[in-house]
Structures are given as C-alpha cells and as structure tokens.
Amino acid sequence: MNPPRRYLVPFGPKQTPHLFTDILVIGAGIAGLRAALEIPSKFNVLVVTKDALQQSNSNYAQGGIAGVLSPEDRFENHIEDTRTAGAGLCDPHIVEMVVREAPQQISDLIQWGTNFDQEDGQLALTREGGHSHRRIVHALGDATGHEVMRAIIDRARQTPHLTLWDQTFTLDLLTHEGGCAGAVLDRPGQGILLVWAKQTILASGGAGMVYRETTNPPVATGDGMAAAYRAGAELRDMEFMQFHPTVLYVAGSSRFLISEAVRGEGAYLRDKNGVRFMPDEDPRAELAPRDIVARAIVRRMDSTQHPNVYLDLSHLDPSRVRQRFPGIEKVCLGFGIDITRDLIPVRPGAHYMMGGVNVDDLGRTSLPGLWAAGEVTSSGLHGANRLASNSLLEGLVFGASCGRGAAERAAHMPDAYMVPPISSPAEGAIADFDVADVTNSLRSLMVRHIGVVRDRAGLREAERQVAFWRRYALAQRFQTRAGWELQNLLTVAYAMIGSALQREEARGGHCRADFPDRDDAHWQRHITCPPLRKE
C-alpha cells in the first residue's frame, strides 16, 4: 500500500496560528460528548466537529440502546448474543465489560434528561435481530439517537469547562517524539489552525460514505481513521463493514434506514412474488443477525432478478405500528406508502464499520497520547458483525473510559506552551480536479466489488482502480472539505480492500463468494494494517 502524505495541508510553526488546550476531543457524537462530560472541571476541554453538533451517526440511530434491564434477562444472555453475532472475533473481556456497564450508562442518560419511551410507568423494551430477549430502550418511537443527542448536547452546553466548535474540520493529528500532540484544524474565518493538546480523544465516527448505498449521513467519510493511519496508529478489521438489511429503496431518492426494530416487532420479509423467504434461510427467520439477513436478501434479489425485497407489517396492529414507528411512517407516506398496509421496498446498504483504529479496554490506541471511542475504533466488542443496538452503548462505555483515562494522564503532564518545530511542506499541485466525479466513481466501485458479497477478481479490480486514483488524488493539495474527504475515503477504501483480499473466508460482515465457508482454523484472528511511522 502506498503511504499517504503525512499531512494533507502545508503549515509552519511561524505562519500558522496556535491554540493550547488540556484535552482535545474530535467528534461530537455520543462517544465524543460522553468522553468530554467525563473529564473533571479542572481541565480545559475543546470539542470539535466538522458539521453541526446534531450531524452524527448517533443522531440518526433509530433502534435504541441495548441493556439488561428486565428480570427475565441476564448479563450472560446479552454477552452470549453479542458473541454469537460477532462470529468468533469478539474479545470476551470487552464484551463482558460493556454489557455489565449498560444499565448504569442508561441510568446516566435518564439523569441527564433523556426521555426514553415507557409502558405502564416502566421503560419500554423492544427486541431486535440477534437478541434473545427484549432489552432495547428507545425514545420517540424510532428516533432514539435524536433524543439521546438532544439531552447530551444540552448537558455539554451547560458544562463550563467544555468549549464546543462546530463546522471545524480535523485535517490531521499532530505527532511529535512518537506521540500525538493535538491536531491540525480548518475553521471558518480562521483557516488552518494548530491545536496542541496534552491528550487527544478521537471519536469522529465511521466511513459509510465510501459506499453509494448507505444509511450514513454525508459527514461519515472516515476522516478520523485516515488521519490516525497517517499519524502512525494501527487500523484493524477494516474488511468488516456491516450492511443493514433493510434500507428504503425508492429509485432516485436518498436512502433511509428502516430500523431493525421493525422486524423485532414482527414484520416479515417477502420477495417480489410475496414469498416470505427468511424461515428457509435461518431458524431465527427475520430475527437472524444482520449479516445473515443481508446475504439472504441479496440471494433473493438475484434469484428473482428484482432490485429489492419488501417488508410487510400488514399483519400487525396498525395503531401499534404507528405509535412505535412514527418517523418511518412519515418518510414512507412521502412516497405514498402506508406502512400498515403496503409493502415497503428495501435492500441492504452500508451501515456500520466494525473495523477502525485499534484500541485496548481503556480506549488507548497504539499511538501514545491518542485515545479513541465509538465507530472510529475496533474495540473488540462487535467482532465480525455488530449486534443491533450495541453501538450507542459502546460509544457511552468507551467514551467515558477515554475521558477518565485522558484526564488522568493529562493530570501528570505540565502546562507547556512551546511549539515543537513541526511543519508540512507545500508540496503537491492544486490542479483542475473533478472531486465529485472521482468520489462518485469510488462509491459506485465499492458497491460493485466490496459489497455484501465479494470475490478475488472483483477485489483485485477495486484494488487496481483505487490505487490509480490514489496516485494522483493524494498528490493534490486541496483547499476544500470535499477534496480532503476524498483523500480520506481513498485511504480508508484501500485499507478495506487490502484486508478483504487477505481474509479468504466468509465471516460476519465479510463474505467471499470464492471462499464461502467460515474457516476458524486459519482465520479466527484479526487483520491489522501496519501503522505508518513518519513524523
């Protein structure tokens, strides 16, 4: 793999403005803000996010947060369900740690003002694919992420030692003497800015926009993964992208997630002929883990030569459906679809990245001074396939751990306001370059060759094409967010393709048509991308 340029933009210690803080948090989703709120008030904390505070995958999460809250459920059940979905690659210690912390994290959210749905004065719990019990708390029916982020953003805004900067793009992580020293930012009205921090927490989210068919918002361009890789941090499990089985498919419109909870409440999947096909695919039928359901849908689309399958809720109580899924009902009505009567056209779409920056059980990366939490990471919780509604939980648990750890480490570091002699030369041309064309071509290529099902021929073709784009796109000196995002997408895509080529088996979110069986003898292990060590 050709190494990316160390820094995306030129800067020098004499020409570039500087800012100093105790702890820098990159990303304002649930993991980033949970980390910031865990940091004691004696520290100055700067939280930066590249768009509005509300623009994160966390905000768009429909399903909910999984936790053992019912007397019929046990921690051991949640642990087993998580490890089963993870297809042999979960870290047992991490799974147990996260599952056991879930009730307290949910309690903290309630204390901070999150209004979860209730039934008869108790938290309403639902079940989703892969779960053996009803254990998912939700809010506003199918808008859990929106309500949780409302409460946590309000809490952060009321916390005096936190400074929140939106519309601020993180270009790169600063490194000095083998450790992370802060970040290079681009801020409206200020341009390039160097922020020096005693400790840095990366919580920048996923990379779903590397695919044309995705549930992710436009901000999910893998910026944190690419920046961490350029800085020398280790990436792991990059072949494991989870495809959500049920994304609303209306030609010409943007894709919209149809929550896992719809099947959890009893919806059926039918093909174009009206045949309910999941009972023949898996004993759990529509409640099988997402990787199984997504592959079954792709097979059915191929066999019927139809671009989608359908969700059927017509056999369920209409009033219950409307109460439980008001957001989904509203979107579908915009296309003339009554979800209580009509079939909902769906197909798989890229949803959640299981791979990312490798972290330990405290959230420490392989780069000293850099911590990470949430979808940007590979923590060991999800393994090869994320169990539904474990992602917000992971962000809460690891966000809190990163906040505590970074604060403890920063407490032992003296205040220092000297700028190391770090610079980035003004190499590379600023050419007439059609960023949108290459971005669209990349996203289409990823759908064709590294989608739900892959094979060596397609992966090799993707590798050749992405290598070609990288040769001239990474040599450019862009001055816009779209250009920087393309460079990050190309870096992440190349890591994903290389890892997918190495793993010659089918496991979880990675399915090789030319190696269709799971191979524990050779592949029950992680694949890492060797870190760069350029200062």
Side-chain angles (χ1 to χ4, degrees):
M1 184 184 300
N2 296 327
R5 180 192 286 122
R6 174 62 190 90
Y7 293 104
L8 293 183
V9 297
F11 61 84
K14 294 182 179 180
Q15 300 86 11
T16 312
H18 305 272
L19 183 137
F20 296 85
T21 188
D22 291 319
I23 298 174
L24 172 64
V25 179
I26 299 169
I30 197 167
L33 290 182
R34 184 65 186 87
L37 290 170
E38 191 71 13
I39 299 169
S41 59
K42 67 178 181 179
F43 297 100
N44 291 320
V45 181
L46 174 62
V47 182
V48 300
T49 183
K50 75 174 183 179
D51 209 291
L53 283 176
Q54 294 80 6
Q55 287 298 313
S56 67
N57 273 349
S58 301
N59 187 65
Y60 291 96
Q62 293 179 356
I65 303 174
V68 176
L69 300 168
S70 133
E72 292 80 26
D73 200 4
R74 300 171 64 228
F75 287 129
E76 290 76 12
N77 301 135
H78 191 180
I79 290 167
E80 182 180 0
D81 293 345
T82 299
R83 294 185 64 181
T84 298
L89 285 188
C90 295
D91 181 320
H93 166 66
I94 297 294
V95 174
E96 180 162 355
M97 177 190 78
V98 173
V99 164
R100 290 187 179 276
E101 286 194 33
Q104 183 59 54
Q105 293 293 342
I106 292 169
S107 176
D108 288 346
L109 289 177
I110 294 171
Q111 182 181 344
W112 294 344
T114 305
N115 297 309
F116 289 113
D117 294 340
Q118 297 192 359
E119 289 180 355
D120 301 323
Q122 301 292 321
L123 285 174
L125 302 175
T126 191
R127 184 181 174 194
E128 297 182 349
H131 288 273
S132 59
H133 292 73
R134 298 179 78 88
R135 66 167 67 100
I136 292 96
V137 296
H138 48 84
L140 305 177
D142 54 3
T144 306
H146 180 77
E147 171 60 14
V148 168
M149 290 310 298
R150 178 203 60 77
I152 208 167
I153 288 171
D154 286 350
R155 178 84 173 186
R157 282 174 168 158
Q158 295 166 20
T159 304
H161 68 288
L162 305 186
T163 299
L164 308 178
W165 282 3
D166 60 5
Q167 308 297 334
T168 302
F169 193 95
T170 299
L171 289 145
D172 272 299
L173 300 172
L174 289 163
T175 49
H176 182 58
E177 296 181 342
C180 183
V184 185
L185 308 180
D186 179 70
R187 187 156 163 73
Q190 292 181 258
I192 304 301
L193 173 69
L194 305 184
V195 173
W196 303 95
K198 296 177 182 178
Q199 299 289 297
T200 301
I201 300 173
L202 185 63
S204 54
M209 288 300 288
V210 77
Y211 289 92
R212 187 188 68 239
E213 304 281 345
T214 181
T215 64
N216 287 194
V219 294
T221 52
D223 306 316
M225 295 175 195
Y229 178 70
R230 288 191 294 270
E234 184 177 84
L235 302 182
R236 188 179 75 168
D237 291 347
M238 295 298 287
E239 68 272 32
F240 293 118
M241 169 64 77
Q242 182 176 79
F243 292 84
H244 199 289
T246 55
V247 179
L248 180 65
Y249 180 72
V250 178
S253 71
S254 59
R255 304 298 180 247
F256 179 80
L257 175 67
I258 303 295
S259 170
E260 186 96 10
V262 172
R263 283 177 286 124
E265 294 292 343
Y268 296 150
L269 279 166
R270 300 188 185 278
D271 65 18
K272 75 168 187 178
N273 300 313
V275 176
R276 184 186 174 203
F277 56 90
M278 278 309 302
D280 294 332
E281 296 279 352
D282 190 277
R284 293 160 291 187
E286 283 83 4
L287 290 177
R290 290 175 176 176
D291 59 324
I292 294 172
V293 179
R295 290 199 291 272
I297 289 173
V298 168
R299 283 193 295 270
R300 188 56 55 134
M301 287 163 51
D302 287 344
S303 67
T304 60
Q305 291 295 293
H306 197 63
N308 57 270
V309 296
Y310 298 90
L311 272 172
D312 181 9
L313 291 77
S314 62
H315 57 287
L316 302 177
D317 176 23
S319 60
R320 168 71 176 169
V321 168
R322 291 191 180 99
Q323 177 189 18
R324 183 68 181 82
F325 305 113
I328 293 171
E329 180 190 30
K330 181 178 179 181
V331 169
C332 287
L333 282 175
F335 296 103
I337 300 169
D338 181 343
I339 65 172
T340 66
R341 298 182 310 172
D342 302 328
L343 296 175
I344 306 171
V346 294
R347 61 183 290 165
H351 183 56
Y352 190 91
M353 186 69 172
M354 274 81 71
V357 183
N358 194 6
V359 295
D360 66 9
D361 59 353
L362 298 178
R364 295 176 297 199
T365 74
S366 61
L367 180 65
L370 179 66
W371 308 70
E375 193 176 353
V376 74
T377 69
S378 172
S379 71
L381 174 64
H382 306 306
N385 181 46
R386 176 179 69 96
L387 181 66
S389 288
N390 269 357
S391 53
L392 293 181
L393 174 59
E394 179 194 36
L396 290 166
V397 172
F398 274 89
S401 179
C402 285
R404 288 191 298 271
E408 182 179 345
R409 183 70 189 92
H412 293 88
M413 299 176 70
D415 286 334
Y417 305 105
M418 297 293 291
V419 175
I422 300 173
S423 62
S424 174
E427 59 188 19
I430 300 173
D432 183 15
F433 189 99
D434 194 334
V435 170
D437 183 51
V438 178
T439 302
N440 291 334
S441 297
L442 169 66
R443 298 178 68 211
S444 295
L445 178 89
M446 293 294 285
V447 171
R448 290 196 306 274
H449 295 313
I450 186 168
V452 176
V453 180
R454 306 99 183 254
D455 60 35
R456 179 184 296 276
L459 290 168
R460 286 295 186 198
E461 172 58 29
E463 183 181 49
R464 285 192 295 271
Q465 185 60 62
V466 172
F468 170 70
W469 286 327
R470 280 165 51 89
R471 278 198 298 275
Y472 71 94
L474 297 189
Q476 306 295 314
R477 280 292 187 190
F478 293 115
Q479 296 177 304
T480 64
R481 170 172 149 175
W484 301 324
E485 288 177 335
L486 171 60
Q487 291 174 317
N488 290 333
L489 287 169
L490 287 167
T491 298
V492 170
Y494 206 73
M496 293 173 68
I497 294 163
S499 297
L501 272 166
Q502 286 187 61
R503 184 172 290 280
E504 295 181 335
E505 65 161 353
R507 182 188 298 269
H510 170 75
C511 180
R512 287 281 295 267
D514 45 349
F515 296 95
D517 299 320
R518 175 169 153 175
D519 181 2
D520 285 347
H522 298 95
W523 291 107
Q524 194 162 342
R525 58 185 176 85
H526 300 285
I527 293 174
T528 58
C529 300
L532 298 176
R533 292 298 180 194
K534 285 178 65 178
E535 284 290 339

